[in-house]
Amino acid sequence: SREVEVSEHNPGRRYVGVSAPGVRLSSAEIRLAEVLLLGGQLLFDQTGAEADPYMTLVGYFNATRELAGMRRYVDDDVSTRVAKPRLGSGFPRRYGTAFGNLNVAELTSRISGADIGKTLDQLGAEFDSDYDTTDAFQERITLRRESKQAPKRLGEAPFDVVLATSMLQVGVDVQRLGLMLMVGQPKNTAEYIQASSRVGRDARKPGLVVSLGNWARPRDLAHFEQFRHYHDTFYRQVEALSVTPFSPTSLERGIAGLLVSVARVSQATLLDGLSPERQAGEIVAQHPFVVTIIDRLTERILAASQDDDLAREASDRLINHVDRWSSRAKYASEIHKTLVYERTGSGAKCLSLIVSPENKRASAGDSTEAPFEIANSMREVQPEINILVSPLQDRLFARTPAEVDDWVMPAEEDD
C-alpha cells in the first residue's frame, strides 16, 4: 500500500467529528440532518451538478433500532425543519423529490431483497440542475398556480436520505455518493473504514463523513477526544482477526470450492478443458492435470502452515474430492446425462456437481444430490434454523435419536 497526497485530483474524504455533551443524541441527529440537507441544497443552487454528491444524505447506524428512531425523525422533525428553515440562516427551503417531501429509503434487513435491489439501482439517479434547484421548483409552483403545464422529471426521482446499517459495508459501489452522517462509533475500526468508504469513491466527487459520537458512551467519547490521531492512523487501528487456517472445519467448507475454481480458471483458455459450465465431466480426461494442481496446492499449504501433517491432510482431502468428482462424471455418463457444475440448464438431461447450502438443505436425502456443497459467499458460515419455543408443555416437540435415552429433568436439590 502507499499513501497518496491529498490534491485536486485525489481529494479523498474529510472526516468531521461532532459531540454535543448534555444534548440528547436524537436532538443532535435531527439538527445535523437538517443542516446537511439544507447545506447540500444551498450548494446545489449555487453550483448545480457539481454539488450532486452532497444532495443525498447517507445515514449509517450500528443497530436497526437506532435507525428506526431516525426514520421517524426524518419523516417528522427533519422534514418540518428543512421545509421552513430558520429566518436569517441563509439556507433555502429544501423541496424533497417525493412530490415536495423528502424521498427516504432504507438499506436494512427490514426491507425485502427485491426492494433492496431497486434501492441500490435508484441510488445512482442524480439530481437535475434544471429541475431540483430552488428556482426551478418555485417556477413549477408558479406555473401550476397559473393553470399551466409544468415540466416533469425525466427518469427516477433521486433519494434525499438513505438510512443504512451494516448492510452498507459491502456490495454498495455508488460513485455519486459523497455525504454521510455516521451515528455512533461502529464496534470496530474495520467496519468504520468499510462503511465510510461508501462515499467519496469517485476522485472527482470528494466525500464528507460527519461522525456523531454519543457522549454518554465512553468508547465514543474516547474516539472523539483522539479524533485527529485516530483518523490519521486508523488503518493501523484495524483489529486483528482470530483465524484457524487449515482446521478440519475450514478445510471441509472451503476445499471443494478451491479445487473447482482453480481447475476451471487454470483451463479458462482451453475449449475442451474444465472451464465451460457443461464440461465438468472432462475430469476423467483431465485427471493428470488436476493431480498437478493438487501438488501445487499442497506446496502452497505447506509453505503457509509449516506443518507436514496439515499439508498431508489437505492433500488427502483434495485427492478424495477428485475421486468423488470422477465418480460423479462416470455416473452421469452411465445414465446418459451431461455433468455440469451447478446450472442444470436442460433439467433432466443434466447432472450437477456442486450445490449451494440452501439448496442442499431443501433436497436432503436425494440420492442424486450433488457431492460438493459450496457456499455462495464467505458470509455463509452456518445454516439458519428456526426455533419455536413455547411455554406450554403440550406444544413442545422433540425428536430423540433411537440410540439416546430420553432426557429427564433433574430433580431439584434441597440447596
Side-chain angles (χ1 to χ4, degrees), residues 72 106 258 266 272 321 353 356 388:
R72 186 172 66 252
E106 288 187 27
L258 173 67
S266 299
D272 57 347
H321 276 71
L353 176 69
S356 60
L388 178 62

Side-chain angles (χ1 to χ4, degrees), residues 129-140:
S129 56
D130 294 328
Y131 190 89
D132 293 307
T133 60
T134 302
D135 292 341
F137 198 97
Q138 291 177 346
E139 182 178 348
R140 293 198 299 274

Side-chain angles (χ1 to χ4, degrees), residues 49-218:
E50 295 294 327
D52 173 71
Y54 313 107
M55 286 291 284
T56 298
L57 174 62
V58 180
Y60 186 84
F61 300 84
N62 296 311
T64 305
R65 174 180 55 81
E66 298 172 355
L67 180 145
M70 185 58 177
R71 176 61 189 262
R72 186 172 66 252
Y73 301 145
V74 170
D75 291 337
D76 187 2
D77 299 73
V78 177
S79 296
T80 302
R81 287 170 176 264
V82 299
K84 296 180 180 180
R86 297 183 182 183
L87 294 176
S89 65
F91 288 126
R93 177 178 178 179
R94 178 72 181 252
Y95 298 95
T97 60
F99 304 101
N101 297 318
L102 293 179
N103 193 3
V104 186
E106 288 187 27
L107 288 175
T108 66
S109 57
R110 305 195 304 173
I111 308 302
S112 66
D115 290 337
I116 288 175
K118 294 178 182 178
T119 300
L120 291 175
D121 293 338
Q122 195 171 343
L123 267 177
E126 299 183 357
F127 284 78
D128 188 349
S129 56
D130 294 328
Y131 190 89
D132 293 307
T133 60
T134 302
D135 292 341
F137 198 97
Q138 291 177 346
E139 182 178 348
R140 293 198 299 274
I141 293 176
T142 302
L143 290 174
R144 292 191 183 100
R145 288 174 178 173
E146 297 175 354
S147 300
K148 296 180 180 179
Q149 186 175 3
K152 296 182 179 180
R153 181 186 298 278
L154 300 177
E156 292 184 308
F159 291 121
D160 296 291
V161 180
V162 177
L163 305 177
T165 53
S166 56
M167 185 181 296
L168 188 72
Q169 291 184 60
V170 292
V172 179
D173 187 14
V174 182
Q175 299 292 312
R176 60 170 290 269
L177 298 178
L179 181 62
M180 174 177 286
L181 172 61
M182 184 165 289
V183 180
Q185 187 68 28
K187 295 178 177 60
N188 56 67
T189 303
E191 179 183 351
Y192 186 52
I193 295 173
Q194 285 280 11
S196 61
S197 297
R198 298 307 104 186
V199 300
R201 300 180 69 81
D202 190 338
R204 298 168 298 175
K205 301 173 181 179
L208 175 62
V209 180
V210 180
S211 182
L212 174 61
N214 186 346
W215 60 270
R217 294 178 181 174

